[in-house]
Amino acid sequence: DVKVTQSSRYLVKRTGEKVFLECVQDMDHENMFWYRQDPGLGLRLIYFSYDVKMKEKGDIPEGYSVSREKKERFSLILESASTNQTSMYLCASSLSGPLEKLFFGSGTQLSVL
Amino acid sequence: EDQVTQSPEALRLQEGESSSLNCSYTVSGLRGLFWYRQDPGKGPEFLFTLYSAGEEKEKERLKATLTKKESFLHITAPKPEDSATYLCAVHATGANSKLTFGKGITLSVRP
């Protein structure tokens, strides 16, 4: 089975800190995604990557950046964390092409105080 | 703009009481519609992909159907372990690899 591993289950940070969320997949998937999930708003795409060093903005990229130096690893960076970035962050990967099913990690619940 | 609306927001069923979850969508052109299940504290897990109107797919007590405007997830004789949030997502023409998700339907099945 495909495994998507997110480095932290819970994270508490202070306003203004630089925050790194790490995601690793073990099945040689081409595509990787970062979503955030908020009550009443559903899943919203922050960034995605379809190849190493390639990235595309999703629907809500402001305040975030990403890095994909290796195929299996996709990092989400909050340059200066703010309280409105408190959320559940979900990483996902898919084999290749737009219609492949997504495999999700278990999520990182980030609290910014 | 692509839109996905799921209804109802929450549904409570008695064990064995069959029902349906609705996903209505508005897209320029549908390439695929996805159903996912999400348990508390976990990431969503893939259930089905539907590609064209009239298509149906089944898995155990779940059956997904698709029309040109909406999809239904029918749950037959549900059990408490079917309790979860069910997410619908669409992939539209020209959307690269982006999916648009609905807000989800939280299903509770009482024993």
Side-chain angles (χ1 to χ4, degrees), chain B residues 12-18 61 75-83 107-111:
Chain B
R12 287 191 160 193
L13 299 174
Q14 199 68 35
E15 184 171 3
E17 179 187 1
S18 300
R61 296 177 292 281
I75 303 177
T76 303
K79 297 182 177 182
E81 53 262 41
D82 295 320
S83 298
L107 173 66
S108 299
V109 182
R110 295 167 294 188

Side-chain angles (χ1 to χ4, degrees), chain B residues 9-84:
Chain B
E9 288 186 13
L11 183 62
R12 287 191 160 193
L13 299 174
Q14 199 68 35
E15 184 171 3
E17 179 187 1
S18 300
S19 188
S20 297
L21 312 181
N22 177 261
C23 172
S24 299
Y25 61 90
T26 305
V27 296
S28 52
L30 182 70
R31 297 188 67 182
L33 184 142
F34 301 78
W35 282 98
Y36 287 84
R37 169 192 169 128
Q38 186 175 21
D39 293 303
K42 295 188 177 181
E45 184 178 333
F46 172 79
L47 291 173
F48 305 108
T49 308
L50 301 168
Y51 297 100
S52 57
E55 190 175 359
E56 299 182 352
K57 287 192 177 172
E58 287 188 65
K59 179 181 179 180
E60 296 179 355
R61 296 177 292 281
L62 299 177
K63 178 178 170 181
T65 62
L66 181 65
T67 73
K68 289 186 178 180
K69 297 289 185 184
E70 58 193 349
S71 176
F72 290 94
L73 186 65
H74 306 278
I75 303 177
T76 303
K79 297 182 177 182
E81 53 262 41
D82 295 320
S83 298

